[in-house]
Amino acid sequence: MTGQSRLERARAALRQEEDLSAGPAARPAGGLPAGRAAGAEPDQAVPAGSQAADDPQYALAKRIALRKLTASARSRAQLAQALADQHIAPEVSTAVLDRLESAGLVDDAAYAELVVRSSRSGRGLARRSLAARLREHGVDDDIAAGALDQLDEAAEEETARALVSKRLRTMDGFEGQVVRRRLAGMLARKGYDASLAYRVIGQAIDAHPAFRRD
């Protein structure tokens, strides 16, 4: 799911929720309360989903979750934390998130792929940092591994070279050792393996006329 279609679907769902809570449209024809079948006895059990939908806290939780999703993509764990912060009961949170997940509005696999693509292209993060980022966002390790499988070693090395090349253009006048140390620190913070980092840095410095090996 693209970011645009996700937002469109979330906004459409939010508008529908607002319309349903606005007045008579919230009741089925005949004026029966939602979840009450015609002819049903007052004490007759109704489906759990219908009970949840009639719960004011359920409606509040769904509204909170949908508003979060219209702002930006979120993992299920992030949404669950946002609901917990608003003192939504765990069972209500689970019911809401299950419903949004079944509608395709909560999708950790799609979220993980989005994070990997955007963080790699925008910040140049390596696989290790991407895995840590997904873990921090509550994405299951197996789901994260599926998103990370789209990366390969050659692409990661090429990204490291691009980062080093860009940074080198701002470091004229520094001594070689200082340049290597700063570049190594930059790549380490982005999660690159030390052996790859030093190889890429050494080759870039050797090819750059402004620097020399000390």
Side-chain angles (χ1 to χ4, degrees):
M1 186 193 310
T2 65
Q4 184 61 31
S5 63
R6 172 188 57 75
L7 290 175
E8 290 172 352
R9 293 177 64 182
R11 290 187 179 114
L14 178 58
R15 285 195 297 270
Q16 183 180 33
E17 289 297 312
E18 291 172 341
D19 290 344
L20 288 174
S21 63
R27 293 180 177 272
L32 292 172
R36 176 75 59 78
E41 295 298 326
D43 59 350
Q44 182 175 344
V46 295
S50 298
Q51 290 174 325
D54 287 341
D55 185 347
Q57 192 177 62
Y58 180 94
L60 173 61
K62 193 168 185 181
R63 190 178 303 277
I64 292 169
L66 287 170
R67 289 192 186 281
K68 292 289 185 183
L69 288 170
T70 61
S72 65
R74 309 283 175 129
S75 69
R76 178 170 177 136
Q78 287 176 313
L79 291 172
Q81 184 59 57
L83 294 177
D85 291 343
Q86 295 299 317
H87 309 292
I88 301 297
E91 62 273 17
V92 174
S93 175
T94 297
V96 167
L97 295 178
D98 284 348
R99 183 172 177 183
L100 294 179
E101 194 168 63
S102 69
L105 293 175
V106 176
D107 185 340
D108 275 6
Y111 173 76
E113 291 176 1
L114 175 64
V115 169
V116 167
R117 286 196 306 272
S118 61
S119 297
R120 166 56 67 87
S121 62
R123 300 179 58 192
L125 297 185
R127 184 186 183 99
R128 183 171 59 189
S129 286
L130 291 169
R133 187 176 180 82
L134 292 174
R135 195 173 299 114
E136 289 172 0
H137 292 187
V139 176
D140 178 81
D141 285 346
D142 289 339
I143 293 176
L148 292 168
D149 281 345
Q150 65 184 278
L151 306 176
D152 59 57
E153 292 183 2
E156 185 151 298
E157 181 167 335
E158 186 60 31
T159 301
R161 291 186 186 282
L163 290 168
V164 167
S165 176
K166 181 178 179 180
R167 185 67 180 274
L168 269 177
R169 292 196 292 270
T170 70
M171 302 182 75
D172 287 350
F174 289 87
E175 294 183 356
Q177 287 288 3
V178 174
V179 170
R180 279 192 285 273
R181 184 170 64 251
R182 294 190 178 185
L183 291 174
M186 175 192 68
L187 292 181
R189 288 190 296 274
K190 292 180 180 292
Y192 287 90
D193 178 76
S195 61
L196 182 151
Y198 284 115
R199 181 175 71 254
V200 168
I201 291 168
Q203 291 170 352
I205 289 179
D206 286 346
H208 200 293
F211 303 107
R212 62 179 177 81
R213 277 196 175 277
D214 296 336

